[in-house]
Amino acid sequence: MDWLNLPPLSALRAFSAFAEHRNIVKAGDALNVSHAAISQQLRALEAHMGVTLLDRSGKTLVLTSDGEHLARSVQLGFGAIHAAVSDLVHAGEDRPVHVSLTSSFAASWLMPRLPIFRSDHPGIDLTLDPSPELVDLRPGEVDVAIRYGAGGWPGVRSEMLLKTPMVIVAAPSLLGSRSEWSPADLARLPWLEEVGTTEASTWLAQHGAAMDPGAGRTSLPGNLVLEGVRAGQGVTVTVRHFVERDIVAGRLVELHVAPDARGYHIVTAQTPQRKAVKTFVGWLKRQANQV
């Protein structure tokens, strides 16, 4: 392909639009430009090729035989390009938006809001994949991940969705009348932890304590952790947003809060996003702004 000698694409588009409509004004409307711009592009194309493509002797422009020959080829080419682009753009439209997130975030934040999304966007299907594990965002697989942390992860785009620190909480029924609890004291209590995570042991280690082997640790799905904590079955580490109402109402006691500004982030790959993915991400942001 001799790319350097091909006419400018803008001139070929203007010529193809004119050949389709046989009218400069309509060609301009089709490309959202003025008819003067179409005329200029047509003359530039003829000058580039050194060929008369339009007969200007009459009241209206008509294609010469050379113009008709070029029109057939250009329209076939643009038609093939349009078909290929359309196929690629629409190929993933029927695929659900695949979201990776923890079960605790799904149960405590996303699920209560999903009826709103279903009502606003009935044509977009979702696949929620609850897992504490980090996933790779590859084309055709996971579209969006909801991750907790400080953000700034390499190789992906991340944007804060919900800023909320980590807290240690337990029910008054587990704590009794005691009001002061050191990390070493808490290590002797039973703990509840989401399956696949080590947040409890990590927090204790960071504060110079180790979980008492006889205290008991229960691993269970994230959506069940808070139910167990509210029932007095153990201590847990969670994000404050999920338990703020419980703390205010006295159902849970806040024993420790992390002094940082971490939170849940929307994480996407550094690649173009499908329209459905953009819609879902935009909806997430609007929902977070209403919190």
Side-chain angles (χ1 to χ4, degrees):
M1 180 73 73
D2 188 358
W3 294 104
L4 295 179
N5 286 326
L6 279 177
L9 180 61
S10 57
L12 289 173
R13 289 176 71 238
F15 177 77
S16 185
F18 173 80
E20 179 181 353
H21 296 284
R22 306 292 166 135
N23 182 283
I24 286 184
V25 174
K26 291 182 179 179
D29 291 341
L31 296 180
N32 197 28
V33 298
S34 67
H35 68 277
I38 296 294
S39 295
Q40 183 179 7
Q41 292 287 2
L42 294 178
R43 291 187 181 278
L45 180 61
E46 289 180 308
H48 181 94
M49 296 179 61
V51 175
T52 301
L53 302 172
L54 296 116
D55 183 352
R56 296 176 173 82
S57 61
K59 293 183 179 181
T60 59
L61 289 179
V62 295
L63 293 174
T64 64
S65 58
D66 289 335
E68 291 285 3
H69 176 64
L70 179 62
R72 288 191 293 272
S73 298
V74 170
Q75 288 178 316
L76 281 173
F78 279 122
I81 293 172
H82 179 272
V85 169
S86 181
D87 286 345
L88 292 173
V89 168
H90 298 295
E93 284 189 349
D94 294 334
R95 186 167 65 84
V97 177
H98 192 155
V99 186
S100 173
L101 70 175
T102 62
S103 56
S104 56
F105 182 88
S108 299
W109 195 91
L110 184 57
M111 291 301 294
R113 293 169 171 80
L114 274 187
I116 302 173
F117 183 80
R118 292 259 52 87
S119 175
D120 293 345
H121 306 286
I124 299 178
D125 294 330
L126 302 176
T127 295
L128 302 185
D129 189 358
S131 171
E133 298 179 2
L134 296 181
V135 297
D136 292 329
L137 303 176
R138 297 190 181 97
E141 297 182 16
V142 175
D143 297 299
V144 182
I146 307 297
R147 292 183 184 173
Y148 185 86
W153 295 285
V156 295
R157 298 190 188 100
S158 64
E159 182 176 355
M160 180 70 80
L161 173 67
L162 184 65
K163 188 175 179 180
T164 178
M166 283 285 185
V167 294
I168 305 298
V169 292
S173 60
L174 178 69
L175 302 175
S177 60
R178 185 171 178 174
S179 59
E180 297 293 330
W181 291 87
S182 69
D185 294 330
L186 292 174
R188 290 190 287 270
L189 292 176
W191 281 75
L192 303 181
E193 192 171 53
E194 184 171 352
V195 173
T197 69
T198 59
E199 291 173 337
S201 55
T202 298
W203 183 85
L204 288 169
Q206 289 173 344
H207 291 80
M211 192 172 293
D212 188 331
R217 183 182 71 168
T218 303
S219 297
L220 64 167
N223 59 311
L224 300 179
V225 169
L226 292 183
E227 292 185 23
V229 173
R230 294 181 184 115
Q233 297 175 12
V235 185
T236 197
V237 53
T238 185
V239 294
R240 176 186 274 165
H241 179 77
F242 297 162
V243 293
E244 280 180 336
R245 292 182 181 179
D246 294 287
I247 294 171
V248 172
R251 291 186 294 269
L252 294 178
V253 177
E254 183 180 293
L255 301 167
H256 178 85
V257 59
D260 60 18
R262 293 183 295 172
Y264 282 103
H265 292 72
I266 300 172
V267 181
T268 54
Q270 294 178 331
T271 54
Q273 297 176 359
R274 293 183 290 138
K275 182 179 179 181
V277 176
K278 292 180 181 179
T279 299
F280 178 69
V281 168
W283 177 82
L284 286 175
K285 294 177 184 178
R286 290 192 296 275
Q287 289 297 307
N289 289 334
Q290 295 175 14
V291 173

